[in-house]
PDB file of all heavy atoms in Angstrom:
ATOM      1  N   PRO A 837     -26.957  51.025  -8.557  1.00  0.00           N
ATOM      2  CA  PRO A 837     -26.514  49.687  -8.333  1.00  0.00           C
ATOM      3  C   PRO A 837     -25.779  49.549  -7.021  1.00  0.00           C
ATOM      4  O   PRO A 837     -25.106  50.543  -6.646  1.00  0.00           O
ATOM      5  CB  PRO A 837     -25.712  49.262  -9.558  1.00  0.00           C
ATOM      6  CG  PRO A 837     -25.999  50.287 -10.542  1.00  0.00           C
ATOM      7  CD  PRO A 837     -26.469  51.563  -9.836  1.00  0.00           C
ATOM      8  N   GLU A 838     -25.875  48.408  -6.356  1.00  0.00           N
ATOM      9  CA  GLU A 838     -25.001  48.145  -5.229  1.00  0.00           C
ATOM     10  C   GLU A 838     -23.496  48.242  -5.660  1.00  0.00           C
ATOM     11  O   GLU A 838     -23.175  47.928  -6.765  1.00  0.00           O
ATOM     12  CB  GLU A 838     -25.242  46.696  -4.683  1.00  0.00           C
ATOM     13  CG  GLU A 838     -26.546  46.618  -3.841  1.00  0.00           C
ATOM     14  CD  GLU A 838     -26.367  47.176  -2.361  1.00  0.00           C
ATOM     15  OE1 GLU A 838     -25.305  47.808  -2.089  1.00  0.00           O
ATOM     16  OE2 GLU A 838     -27.263  46.804  -1.623  1.00  0.00           O
ATOM     17  N   ASP A 839     -22.701  48.759  -4.745  1.00  0.00           N
ATOM     18  CA  ASP A 839     -21.241  48.852  -5.096  1.00  0.00           C
ATOM     19  C   ASP A 839     -20.686  47.454  -5.327  1.00  0.00           C
ATOM     20  O   ASP A 839     -21.072  46.455  -4.684  1.00  0.00           O
ATOM     21  CB  ASP A 839     -20.605  49.568  -3.902  1.00  0.00           C
ATOM     22  CG  ASP A 839     -20.943  51.012  -3.648  1.00  0.00           C
ATOM     23  OD1 ASP A 839     -21.500  51.621  -4.618  1.00  0.00           O
ATOM     24  OD2 ASP A 839     -20.692  51.529  -2.634  1.00  0.00           O
ATOM     25  N   LEU A 840     -19.584  47.402  -6.080  1.00  0.00           N
ATOM     26  CA  LEU A 840     -18.828  46.154  -6.233  1.00  0.00           C
ATOM     27  C   LEU A 840     -17.839  46.163  -5.171  1.00  0.00           C
ATOM     28  O   LEU A 840     -17.031  47.137  -5.079  1.00  0.00           O
ATOM     29  CB  LEU A 840     -18.138  46.062  -7.514  1.00  0.00           C
ATOM     30  CG  LEU A 840     -17.279  44.880  -7.916  1.00  0.00           C
ATOM     31  CD1 LEU A 840     -18.188  43.514  -7.835  1.00  0.00           C
ATOM     32  CD2 LEU A 840     -16.673  44.991  -9.180  1.00  0.00           C
ATOM     33  N   VAL A 841     -17.784  45.124  -4.344  1.00  0.00           N
ATOM     34  CA  VAL A 841     -16.841  45.092  -3.178  1.00  0.00           C
ATOM     35  C   VAL A 841     -15.954  43.849  -3.225  1.00  0.00           C
ATOM     36  O   VAL A 841     -16.409  42.774  -3.510  1.00  0.00           O
ATOM     37  CB  VAL A 841     -17.627  45.096  -1.875  1.00  0.00           C
ATOM     38  CG1 VAL A 841     -16.658  45.077  -0.676  1.00  0.00           C
ATOM     39  CG2 VAL A 841     -18.502  46.265  -1.789  1.00  0.00           C
ATOM     40  N   LEU A 842     -14.671  44.012  -3.024  1.00  0.00           N
ATOM     41  CA  LEU A 842     -13.713  42.973  -2.868  1.00  0.00           C
ATOM     42  C   LEU A 842     -13.505  42.637  -1.356  1.00  0.00           C
ATOM     43  O   LEU A 842     -13.175  43.613  -0.623  1.00  0.00           O
ATOM     44  CB  LEU A 842     -12.435  43.153  -3.503  1.00  0.00           C
ATOM     45  CG  LEU A 842     -11.421  42.183  -3.360  1.00  0.00           C
ATOM     46  CD1 LEU A 842     -11.790  40.930  -4.281  1.00  0.00           C
ATOM     47  CD2 LEU A 842     -10.019  42.609  -3.899  1.00  0.00           C
ATOM     48  N   TYR A 843     -13.933  41.490  -0.898  1.00  0.00           N
ATOM     49  CA  TYR A 843     -13.907  41.141   0.412  1.00  0.00           C
ATOM     50  C   TYR A 843     -12.745  40.077   0.662  1.00  0.00           C
ATOM     51  O   TYR A 843     -12.462  39.368  -0.230  1.00  0.00           O
ATOM     52  CB  TYR A 843     -15.160  40.417   0.925  1.00  0.00           C
ATOM     53  CG  TYR A 843     -16.357  41.328   1.062  1.00  0.00           C
ATOM     54  CD1 TYR A 843     -17.373  41.260  -0.075  1.00  0.00           C
ATOM     55  CD2 TYR A 843     -16.631  42.084   2.096  1.00  0.00           C
ATOM     56  CE1 TYR A 843     -18.422  42.079   0.026  1.00  0.00           C
ATOM     57  CE2 TYR A 843     -17.738  42.872   2.171  1.00  0.00           C
ATOM     58  CZ  TYR A 843     -18.637  42.910   1.140  1.00  0.00           C
ATOM     59  OH  TYR A 843     -19.742  43.747   1.141  1.00  0.00           O
ATOM     60  N   ALA A 844     -12.135  40.157   1.880  1.00  0.00           N
ATOM     61  CA  ALA A 844     -11.209  39.107   2.326  1.00  0.00           C
ATOM     62  C   ALA A 844     -12.062  38.366   3.391  1.00  0.00           C
ATOM     63  O   ALA A 844     -12.531  38.907   4.355  1.00  0.00           O
ATOM     64  CB  ALA A 844     -10.021  39.754   2.908  1.00  0.00           C
ATOM     65  N   LEU A 845     -11.974  36.960   3.164  1.00  0.00           N
ATOM     66  CA  LEU A 845     -12.736  36.092   4.148  1.00  0.00           C
ATOM     67  C   LEU A 845     -11.702  35.162   4.812  1.00  0.00           C
ATOM     68  O   LEU A 845     -10.886  34.661   4.066  1.00  0.00           O
ATOM     69  CB  LEU A 845     -13.894  35.341   3.455  1.00  0.00           C
ATOM     70  CG  LEU A 845     -14.968  36.109   2.959  1.00  0.00           C
ATOM     71  CD1 LEU A 845     -14.801  36.421   1.569  1.00  0.00           C
ATOM     72  CD2 LEU A 845     -16.230  35.366   3.117  1.00  0.00           C
ATOM     73  N   TYR A 846     -11.810  35.071   6.111  1.00  0.00           N
ATOM     74  CA  TYR A 846     -10.893  34.151   6.735  1.00  0.00           C
ATOM     75  C   TYR A 846     -11.687  33.457   7.924  1.00  0.00           C
ATOM     76  O   TYR A 846     -12.810  33.844   8.192  1.00  0.00           O
ATOM     77  CB  TYR A 846      -9.618  34.810   7.302  1.00  0.00           C
ATOM     78  CG  TYR A 846      -9.866  36.002   8.181  1.00  0.00           C
ATOM     79  CD1 TYR A 846     -10.002  35.852   9.644  1.00  0.00           C
ATOM     80  CD2 TYR A 846      -9.950  37.248   7.714  1.00  0.00           C
ATOM     81  CE1 TYR A 846     -10.301  36.922  10.397  1.00  0.00           C
ATOM     82  CE2 TYR A 846     -10.203  38.334   8.522  1.00  0.00           C
ATOM     83  CZ  TYR A 846     -10.369  38.194   9.920  1.00  0.00           C
ATOM     84  OH  TYR A 846     -10.557  39.275  10.791  1.00  0.00           O
ATOM     85  N   SER A 847     -11.047  32.443   8.469  1.00  0.00           N
ATOM     86  CA  SER A 847     -11.773  31.641   9.517  1.00  0.00           C
ATOM     87  C   SER A 847     -12.340  32.436  10.656  1.00  0.00           C
ATOM     88  O   SER A 847     -11.665  33.406  11.008  1.00  0.00           O
ATOM     89  CB  SER A 847     -10.742  30.559  10.010  1.00  0.00           C
ATOM     90  OG  SER A 847     -11.385  29.785  11.081  1.00  0.00           O
ATOM     91  N   GLY A 848     -13.372  31.964  11.219  1.00  0.00           N
ATOM     92  CA  GLY A 848     -14.119  32.757  12.150  1.00  0.00           C
ATOM     93  C   GLY A 848     -13.577  32.570  13.564  1.00  0.00           C
ATOM     94  O   GLY A 848     -14.277  32.892  14.483  1.00  0.00           O
ATOM     95  N   ARG A 849     -12.392  32.165  13.712  1.00  0.00           N
ATOM     96  CA  ARG A 849     -11.686  32.102  15.043  1.00  0.00           C
ATOM     97  C   ARG A 849     -11.649  33.442  15.685  1.00  0.00           C
ATOM     98  O   ARG A 849     -11.640  34.560  14.943  1.00  0.00           O
ATOM     99  CB  ARG A 849     -10.382  31.388  15.068  1.00  0.00           C
ATOM    100  CG  ARG A 849      -9.480  32.014  14.093  1.00  0.00           C
ATOM    101  CD  ARG A 849      -8.038  31.554  14.299  1.00  0.00           C
ATOM    102  NE  ARG A 849      -7.946  30.092  13.977  1.00  0.00           N
ATOM    103  CZ  ARG A 849      -7.781  29.553  12.866  1.00  0.00           C
ATOM    104  NH1 ARG A 849      -7.699  30.316  11.702  1.00  0.00           N
ATOM    105  NH2 ARG A 849      -7.664  28.241  12.709  1.00  0.00           N
ATOM    106  N   LYS A 850     -11.553  33.443  16.919  1.00  0.00           N
ATOM    107  CA  LYS A 850     -11.432  34.780  17.676  1.00  0.00           C
ATOM    108  C   LYS A 850     -10.356  35.748  17.145  1.00  0.00           C
ATOM    109  O   LYS A 850     -10.631  36.896  16.985  1.00  0.00           O
ATOM    110  CB  LYS A 850     -11.211  34.577  19.200  1.00  0.00           C
ATOM    111  CG  LYS A 850     -11.337  35.837  20.001  1.00  0.00           C
ATOM    112  CD  LYS A 850     -11.201  35.529  21.496  1.00  0.00           C
ATOM    113  CE  LYS A 850     -11.283  36.855  22.292  1.00  0.00           C
ATOM    114  NZ  LYS A 850     -11.184  36.585  23.825  1.00  0.00           N
ATOM    115  N   TYR A 851      -9.199  35.165  16.808  1.00  0.00           N
ATOM    116  CA  TYR A 851      -8.135  35.943  16.258  1.00  0.00           C
ATOM    117  C   TYR A 851      -7.639  35.263  15.027  1.00  0.00           C
ATOM    118  O   TYR A 851      -7.477  34.040  15.021  1.00  0.00           O
ATOM    119  CB  TYR A 851      -6.896  36.085  17.335  1.00  0.00           C
ATOM    120  CG  TYR A 851      -7.307  36.671  18.604  1.00  0.00           C
ATOM    121  CD1 TYR A 851      -7.478  35.944  19.813  1.00  0.00           C
ATOM    122  CD2 TYR A 851      -7.509  38.060  18.765  1.00  0.00           C
ATOM    123  CE1 TYR A 851      -7.763  36.533  20.954  1.00  0.00           C
ATOM    124  CE2 TYR A 851      -7.853  38.636  19.829  1.00  0.00           C
ATOM    125  CZ  TYR A 851      -8.032  37.877  21.022  1.00  0.00           C
ATOM    126  OH  TYR A 851      -8.354  38.449  22.215  1.00  0.00           O
ATOM    127  N   PRO A 852      -7.381  36.041  13.912  1.00  0.00           N
ATOM    128  CA  PRO A 852      -6.868  35.437  12.728  1.00  0.00           C
ATOM    129  C   PRO A 852      -5.455  34.869  12.986  1.00  0.00           C
ATOM    130  O   PRO A 852      -4.757  35.444  13.819  1.00  0.00           O
ATOM    131  CB  PRO A 852      -6.846  36.529  11.690  1.00  0.00           C
ATOM    132  CG  PRO A 852      -6.770  37.858  12.585  1.00  0.00           C
ATOM    133  CD  PRO A 852      -7.505  37.476  13.774  1.00  0.00           C
ATOM    134  N   LEU A 853      -5.059  33.917  12.202  1.00  0.00           N
ATOM    135  CA  LEU A 853      -3.667  33.427  12.226  1.00  0.00           C
ATOM    136  C   LEU A 853      -2.749  34.597  12.006  1.00  0.00           C
ATOM    137  O   LEU A 853      -3.032  35.570  11.267  1.00  0.00           O
ATOM    138  CB  LEU A 853      -3.440  32.318  11.242  1.00  0.00           C
ATOM    139  CG  LEU A 853      -4.186  31.099  11.366  1.00  0.00           C
ATOM    140  CD1 LEU A 853      -3.985  30.115  10.235  1.00  0.00           C
ATOM    141  CD2 LEU A 853      -3.685  30.361  12.715  1.00  0.00           C
ATOM    142  N   ALA A 854      -1.503  34.576  12.665  1.00  0.00           N
ATOM    143  CA  ALA A 854      -0.539  35.679  12.459  1.00  0.00           C
ATOM    144  C   ALA A 854      -0.276  35.918  10.972  1.00  0.00           C
ATOM    145  O   ALA A 854      -0.076  36.984  10.526  1.00  0.00           O
ATOM    146  CB  ALA A 854       0.665  35.298  13.246  1.00  0.00           C
ATOM    147  N   LYS A 855      -0.117  34.813  10.239  1.00  0.00           N
ATOM    148  CA  LYS A 855       0.272  34.980   8.871  1.00  0.00           C
ATOM    149  C   LYS A 855      -0.898  35.564   8.070  1.00  0.00           C
ATOM    150  O   LYS A 855      -0.580  36.372   7.110  1.00  0.00           O
ATOM    151  CB  LYS A 855       0.631  33.545   8.187  1.00  0.00           C
ATOM    152  CG  LYS A 855      -0.560  32.564   8.224  1.00  0.00           C
ATOM    153  CD  LYS A 855      -0.112  31.235   7.678  1.00  0.00           C
ATOM    154  CE  LYS A 855      -1.209  30.178   7.845  1.00  0.00           C
ATOM    155  NZ  LYS A 855      -0.908  28.916   7.409  1.00  0.00           N
ATOM    156  N   VAL A 856      -2.112  35.357   8.332  1.00  0.00           N
ATOM    157  CA  VAL A 856      -3.283  35.987   7.664  1.00  0.00           C
ATOM    158  C   VAL A 856      -3.360  37.387   8.026  1.00  0.00           C
ATOM    159  O   VAL A 856      -3.547  38.318   7.129  1.00  0.00           O
ATOM    160  CB  VAL A 856      -4.583  35.204   8.132  1.00  0.00           C
ATOM    161  CG1 VAL A 856      -5.729  35.965   7.622  1.00  0.00           C
ATOM    162  CG2 VAL A 856      -4.560  33.812   7.573  1.00  0.00           C
ATOM    163  N   LYS A 857      -3.127  37.816   9.373  1.00  0.00           N
ATOM    164  CA  LYS A 857      -3.176  39.215   9.727  1.00  0.00           C
ATOM    165  C   LYS A 857      -2.054  39.926   9.121  1.00  0.00           C
ATOM    166  O   LYS A 857      -2.295  41.026   8.490  1.00  0.00           O
ATOM    167  CB  LYS A 857      -3.059  39.247  11.264  1.00  0.00           C
ATOM    168  CG  LYS A 857      -3.228  40.674  11.720  1.00  0.00           C
ATOM    169  CD  LYS A 857      -2.980  40.707  13.319  1.00  0.00           C
ATOM    170  CE  LYS A 857      -3.233  42.196  13.793  1.00  0.00           C
ATOM    171  NZ  LYS A 857      -2.323  43.159  13.184  1.00  0.00           N
ATOM    172  N   ALA A 858      -0.885  39.336   9.029  1.00  0.00           N
ATOM    173  CA  ALA A 858       0.223  40.095   8.399  1.00  0.00           C
ATOM    174  C   ALA A 858      -0.056  40.282   6.921  1.00  0.00           C
ATOM    175  O   ALA A 858       0.290  41.262   6.273  1.00  0.00           O
ATOM    176  CB  ALA A 858       1.482  39.249   8.543  1.00  0.00           C
ATOM    177  N   PHE A 859      -0.588  39.243   6.245  1.00  0.00           N
ATOM    178  CA  PHE A 859      -0.893  39.297   4.811  1.00  0.00           C
ATOM    179  C   PHE A 859      -1.853  40.339   4.621  1.00  0.00           C
ATOM    180  O   PHE A 859      -1.800  41.242   3.603  1.00  0.00           O
ATOM    181  CB  PHE A 859      -1.357  37.951   4.283  1.00  0.00           C
ATOM    182  CG  PHE A 859      -1.660  37.908   2.814  1.00  0.00           C
ATOM    183  CD1 PHE A 859      -0.636  37.665   1.861  1.00  0.00           C
ATOM    184  CD2 PHE A 859      -2.977  38.239   2.331  1.00  0.00           C
ATOM    185  CE1 PHE A 859      -0.981  37.608   0.585  1.00  0.00           C
ATOM    186  CE2 PHE A 859      -3.243  38.243   0.994  1.00  0.00           C
ATOM    187  CZ  PHE A 859      -2.244  37.918   0.143  1.00  0.00           C
ATOM    188  N   LEU A 860      -3.024  40.427   5.389  1.00  0.00           N
ATOM    189  CA  LEU A 860      -4.082  41.511   5.221  1.00  0.00           C
ATOM    190  C   LEU A 860      -3.488  42.784   5.389  1.00  0.00           C
ATOM    191  O   LEU A 860      -3.826  43.785   4.656  1.00  0.00           O
ATOM    192  CB  LEU A 860      -5.147  41.175   6.120  1.00  0.00           C
ATOM    193  CG  LEU A 860      -6.056  40.062   5.761  1.00  0.00           C
ATOM    194  CD1 LEU A 860      -7.138  39.883   6.863  1.00  0.00           C
ATOM    195  CD2 LEU A 860      -6.737  40.353   4.337  1.00  0.00           C
ATOM    196  N   ASP A 861      -2.655  43.082   6.420  1.00  0.00           N
ATOM    197  CA  ASP A 861      -2.060  44.304   6.739  1.00  0.00           C
ATOM    198  C   ASP A 861      -1.259  44.804   5.547  1.00  0.00           C
ATOM    199  O   ASP A 861      -1.243  45.915   5.153  1.00  0.00           O
ATOM    200  CB  ASP A 861      -1.117  44.234   8.006  1.00  0.00           C
ATOM    201  CG  ASP A 861      -2.013  44.215   9.228  1.00  0.00           C
ATOM    202  OD1 ASP A 861      -3.223  44.424   9.131  1.00  0.00           O
ATOM    203  OD2 ASP A 861      -1.480  43.835  10.243  1.00  0.00           O
ATOM    204  N   HIS A 862      -0.472  43.805   5.035  1.00  0.00           N
ATOM    205  CA  HIS A 862       0.412  44.182   3.852  1.00  0.00           C
ATOM    206  C   HIS A 862      -0.459  44.439   2.623  1.00  0.00           C
ATOM    207  O   HIS A 862      -0.101  45.375   1.776  1.00  0.00           O
ATOM    208  CB  HIS A 862       1.317  42.958   3.528  1.00  0.00           C
ATOM    209  CG  HIS A 862       2.348  43.252   2.437  1.00  0.00           C
ATOM    210  ND1 HIS A 862       3.590  43.706   2.607  1.00  0.00           N
ATOM    211  CD2 HIS A 862       2.176  43.015   1.048  1.00  0.00           C
ATOM    212  CE1 HIS A 862       4.200  43.838   1.478  1.00  0.00           C
ATOM    213  NE2 HIS A 862       3.333  43.386   0.516  1.00  0.00           N
ATOM    214  N   LEU A 863      -1.512  43.717   2.339  1.00  0.00           N
ATOM    215  CA  LEU A 863      -2.352  43.953   1.256  1.00  0.00           C
ATOM    216  C   LEU A 863      -3.045  45.310   1.319  1.00  0.00           C
ATOM    217  O   LEU A 863      -3.000  46.105   0.313  1.00  0.00           O
ATOM    218  CB  LEU A 863      -3.442  42.824   1.184  1.00  0.00           C
ATOM    219  CG  LEU A 863      -4.581  42.948   0.245  1.00  0.00           C
ATOM    220  CD1 LEU A 863      -3.971  42.967  -1.200  1.00  0.00           C
ATOM    221  CD2 LEU A 863      -5.650  41.928   0.364  1.00  0.00           C
ATOM    222  N   ILE A 864      -3.565  45.752   2.470  1.00  0.00           N
ATOM    223  CA  ILE A 864      -4.131  47.026   2.568  1.00  0.00           C
ATOM    224  C   ILE A 864      -3.177  48.117   2.425  1.00  0.00           C
ATOM    225  O   ILE A 864      -3.530  49.091   1.743  1.00  0.00           O
ATOM    226  CB  ILE A 864      -4.993  47.093   3.884  1.00  0.00           C
ATOM    227  CG1 ILE A 864      -6.085  46.089   3.902  1.00  0.00           C
ATOM    228  CG2 ILE A 864      -5.373  48.521   4.195  1.00  0.00           C
ATOM    229  CD1 ILE A 864      -6.788  45.865   5.251  1.00  0.00           C
ATOM    230  N   SER A 865      -2.000  47.933   3.067  1.00  0.00           N
ATOM    231  CA  SER A 865      -0.965  49.003   2.841  1.00  0.00           C
ATOM    232  C   SER A 865      -0.603  49.168   1.352  1.00  0.00           C
ATOM    233  O   SER A 865      -0.463  50.297   0.920  1.00  0.00           O
ATOM    234  CB  SER A 865       0.280  48.593   3.648  1.00  0.00           C
ATOM    235  OG  SER A 865       1.343  49.453   3.443  1.00  0.00           O
ATOM    236  N   GLY A 866      -0.473  48.025   0.665  1.00  0.00           N
ATOM    237  CA  GLY A 866      -0.068  48.142  -0.719  1.00  0.00           C
ATOM    238  C   GLY A 866      -1.123  48.745  -1.624  1.00  0.00           C
ATOM    239  O   GLY A 866      -0.828  49.578  -2.494  1.00  0.00           O
ATOM    240  N   LEU A 867      -2.382  48.480  -1.250  1.00  0.00           N
ATOM    241  CA  LEU A 867      -3.466  49.094  -2.020  1.00  0.00           C
ATOM    242  C   LEU A 867      -3.605  50.568  -1.755  1.00  0.00           C
ATOM    243  O   LEU A 867      -3.908  51.420  -2.588  1.00  0.00           O
ATOM    244  CB  LEU A 867      -4.757  48.405  -1.696  1.00  0.00           C
ATOM    245  CG  LEU A 867      -4.893  46.904  -2.187  1.00  0.00           C
ATOM    246  CD1 LEU A 867      -6.209  46.261  -1.643  1.00  0.00           C
ATOM    247  CD2 LEU A 867      -4.854  46.866  -3.690  1.00  0.00           C
ATOM    248  N   LYS A 868      -3.312  51.048  -0.515  1.00  0.00           N
ATOM    249  CA  LYS A 868      -3.303  52.379  -0.150  1.00  0.00           C
ATOM    250  C   LYS A 868      -2.231  53.081  -1.042  1.00  0.00           C
ATOM    251  O   LYS A 868      -2.462  54.252  -1.445  1.00  0.00           O
ATOM    252  CB  LYS A 868      -3.030  52.615   1.289  1.00  0.00           C
ATOM    253  CG  LYS A 868      -4.324  52.293   2.187  1.00  0.00           C
ATOM    254  CD  LYS A 868      -3.992  52.615   3.612  1.00  0.00           C
ATOM    255  CE  LYS A 868      -5.175  52.427   4.464  1.00  0.00           C
ATOM    256  NZ  LYS A 868      -4.872  52.556   5.976  1.00  0.00           N
ATOM    257  N   GLU A 869      -1.054  52.572  -1.202  1.00  0.00           N
ATOM    258  CA  GLU A 869      -0.087  53.189  -1.979  1.00  0.00           C
ATOM    259  C   GLU A 869      -0.523  53.245  -3.445  1.00  0.00           C
ATOM    260  O   GLU A 869      -0.044  54.216  -4.203  1.00  0.00           O
ATOM    261  CB  GLU A 869       1.334  52.395  -1.921  1.00  0.00           C
ATOM    262  CG  GLU A 869       1.884  52.320  -0.575  1.00  0.00           C
ATOM    263  CD  GLU A 869       3.124  51.534  -0.539  1.00  0.00           C
ATOM    264  OE1 GLU A 869       3.619  51.081  -1.634  1.00  0.00           O
ATOM    265  OE2 GLU A 869       3.794  51.271   0.610  1.00  0.00           O
ATOM    266  N   LEU A 870      -1.380  52.360  -3.959  1.00  0.00           N
ATOM    267  CA  LEU A 870      -1.933  52.514  -5.247  1.00  0.00           C
ATOM    268  C   LEU A 870      -3.196  53.376  -5.274  1.00  0.00           C
ATOM    269  O   LEU A 870      -3.772  53.460  -6.399  1.00  0.00           O
ATOM    270  CB  LEU A 870      -2.193  51.078  -5.828  1.00  0.00           C
ATOM    271  CG  LEU A 870      -1.022  50.060  -5.990  1.00  0.00           C
ATOM    272  CD1 LEU A 870      -1.444  48.824  -6.365  1.00  0.00           C
ATOM    273  CD2 LEU A 870       0.062  50.705  -6.987  1.00  0.00           C
ATOM    274  N   ASN A 871      -3.539  53.895  -4.140  1.00  0.00           N
ATOM    275  CA  ASN A 871      -4.831  54.734  -4.028  1.00  0.00           C
ATOM    276  C   ASN A 871      -6.028  53.931  -4.491  1.00  0.00           C
ATOM    277  O   ASN A 871      -6.928  54.409  -5.185  1.00  0.00           O
ATOM    278  CB  ASN A 871      -4.726  55.965  -4.849  1.00  0.00           C
ATOM    279  CG  ASN A 871      -3.591  56.928  -4.484  1.00  0.00           C
ATOM    280  OD1 ASN A 871      -3.504  57.236  -3.251  1.00  0.00           O
ATOM    281  ND2 ASN A 871      -2.910  57.485  -5.399  1.00  0.00           N
TER     282      ASN A 871
END
């Protein structure tokens, strides 16, 4: 079967909003700590 994937989707502007980028960085860092 295809893998189950959790995606983050945000607006297709050239650069994400600062708050979105910071949130994603924090989310990925937190998930890494949980392996």
Side-chain angles (χ1 to χ4, degrees):
E838 284 280 12
D839 297 341
L840 179 64
V841 181
L842 181 66
Y843 291 99
L845 294 94
Y846 56 88
S847 175
R849 57 170 58 88
K850 185 175 181 181
Y851 301 106
L853 293 173
K855 61 186 178 182
V856 172
K857 183 179 184 304
F859 182 87
L860 284 175
D861 289 345
H862 183 89
L863 174 62
I864 292 171
S865 175
L867 293 174
K868 283 182 178 178
E869 291 181 9
L870 296 174
N871 295 317

